[in-house]
Amino acid sequence: MPKDKKKEEVTEVEHVDRNISSFSQISHLIDAEIITRLSLSHNKLTIVPPNIADLISLQSLNLWNNQIEELPPSISSLPKLRILNVGMNKLTKLPKGFGSFSELEILDLTYNNLSERSLPGNFFFMQTLRALYLGDNDFEMLPGDVENLTNLQILVLRENDLLTLPKELGKLTRLRELHIQGNRLAMIPPELGNLELVGSKQVLRLEHNPFIPRIQDQFDENGAAGVWAHIRTDDYRYFFGRQEPSSTPVPPKRNKEKKVSRKGIQQA
């Protein structure tokens, strides 16, 4: 019985806030073949080693709040990984082939320095993905390839620099949470009205965007539900279709130079 208990313990390693700066400091704790959960949040890691791919049974990897500037391409070959949290780091790009995860369901990239230019071509082809957290980054647009995330239920894009949303978002019919507050959005494509995001089991966050008056008025009077009802009308579809891309002034970016994730990184 004690032997079984010991084996059970080493399948999960949690070293949070231990001043760890290298994976080598905990390598003696890890049995690469049986570890299923590894949590190293609130440490000082700067590098994820390529041999992370040796953890063939790993299902959950939590690296929240470290100082990681890039990830190895090998990370996406983890065959059983379902949860990956690399939020609150210093990522400016993702490695080639990052979208090759075969089982990933939850991906948290919150509070990094990522933009649409940071993503590899296969990023939006993770068909097992159910929740994608991209809040507090530097996205100005989202590629139409997002339509390939057919199982997505939660999409968080809050506090970016988004000027537009792709109409292809309207194809994600399983989406139940959409967070787009704190961006630079003036309008919402009418195709997003296809999504069932209003109700007791749904979440729709739209506040703190420089919406055109007809959308802002609906939000002020009836909240997100009012906006969603409006973008579904024929009147709005007609209005949206007649707008020239250059007809709406571009709202200025917010100053993000004091972001924690920017400290120590040379700005281009």
Side-chain angles (χ1 to χ4, degrees):
M1 187 70 177
K3 186 177 180 181
D4 290 341
K5 185 178 181 183
K6 183 179 180 183
K7 186 176 181 180
E8 194 174 289
E9 288 174 348
V10 296
T11 62
E12 299 188 359
V13 173
E14 183 169 332
H15 271 43
V16 174
D17 199 11
R18 302 282 187 91
N19 212 31
I20 296 169
S21 59
S22 170
F23 272 73
S24 62
Q25 293 174 245
I26 54 145
S27 60
H28 64 286
L29 301 172
I30 296 175
D31 185 328
E33 293 188 359
I34 66 172
I35 186 171
T36 60
R37 187 173 73 89
L38 179 58
S39 182
L40 299 172
S41 58
H42 304 284
N43 281 295
K44 295 183 178 179
L45 294 167
T46 58
I47 292 173
V48 178
N51 67 356
I52 190 76
D54 294 342
L55 308 185
I56 56 175
S57 297
L58 197 65
Q59 297 177 26
S60 175
L61 177 59
N62 185 351
L63 300 173
W64 173 267
N65 191 16
N66 278 276
Q67 298 170 22
I68 300 165
E69 295 186 17
E70 61 180 303
L71 296 170
S74 59
I75 196 169
S76 58
S77 65
L78 286 164
K80 295 186 178 180
L81 196 68
R82 294 187 299 106
I83 301 170
L84 176 59
N85 186 341
V86 282
M88 190 69 80
N89 277 285
K90 296 184 177 183
L91 297 172
T92 57
K93 63 178 180 179
L94 297 176
K96 186 176 180 180
F98 186 82
S100 300
F101 292 99
S102 58
E103 301 291 337
L104 199 65
E105 296 179 16
I106 299 172
L107 176 58
D108 194 337
L109 293 164
T110 304
Y111 214 94
N112 279 284
N113 302 312
L114 300 170
S115 70
E116 57 274 15
R117 295 174 296 280
S118 307
L119 306 179
N122 69 342
F123 181 80
F124 292 105
F125 290 83
M126 294 178 277
Q127 297 193 345
T128 54
L129 208 61
R130 295 188 294 109
L132 176 58
Y133 299 88
L134 293 174
D136 291 281
N137 278 286
D138 301 321
F139 288 90
E140 291 190 0
M141 56 85 70
L142 205 62
D145 282 348
V146 70
E147 70 182 9
N148 294 294
L149 299 179
T150 52
N151 286 301
L152 203 65
Q153 299 173 30
I154 300 172
L155 178 58
V156 179
L157 298 165
R158 61 174 172 76
E159 305 297 333
N160 273 279
D161 292 310
L162 288 169
L163 291 164
T164 62
L165 292 171
K167 64 181 181 180
E168 289 85 357
L169 271 179
K171 296 181 180 180
L172 302 183
T173 55
R174 296 189 179 183
L175 206 64
R176 293 297 176 266
E177 286 193 30
L178 178 61
H179 301 247
I180 53 175
Q181 70 270 34
N183 279 286
R184 302 157 71 198
L185 298 169
M187 290 189 287
I188 298 173
E191 288 85 358
L192 270 62
N194 297 334
L195 304 175
E196 296 298 331
L197 293 172
V198 176
S200 59
K201 294 182 179 180
Q202 288 87 22
V203 178
L204 177 60
R205 298 287 301 274
L206 305 174
E207 64 270 23
H208 306 306
N209 277 291
F211 287 127
I212 59 172
R214 65 159 58 205
I215 293 181
Q216 190 60 49
D217 290 347
Q218 291 292 337
F219 185 77
D220 292 341
E221 292 178 20
N222 300 300
V227 173
W228 230 239
H230 181 64
I231 70 169
R232 288 170 164 171
T233 63
D234 290 339
D235 175 58
Y236 180 76
R237 286 179 178 274
Y238 178 75
F239 171 81
F240 185 89
R242 288 176 61 86
Q243 296 306 299
E244 295 291 335
S246 60
S247 65
T248 306
V250 177
K253 284 186 178 182
R254 286 168 300 152
N255 188 342
K256 298 183 179 181
E257 294 308 311
K258 294 183 179 180
K259 275 183 70 175
V260 174
S261 59
R262 293 264 171 105
K263 291 181 180 179
I265 293 182
Q266 293 294 322
Q267 295 302 302

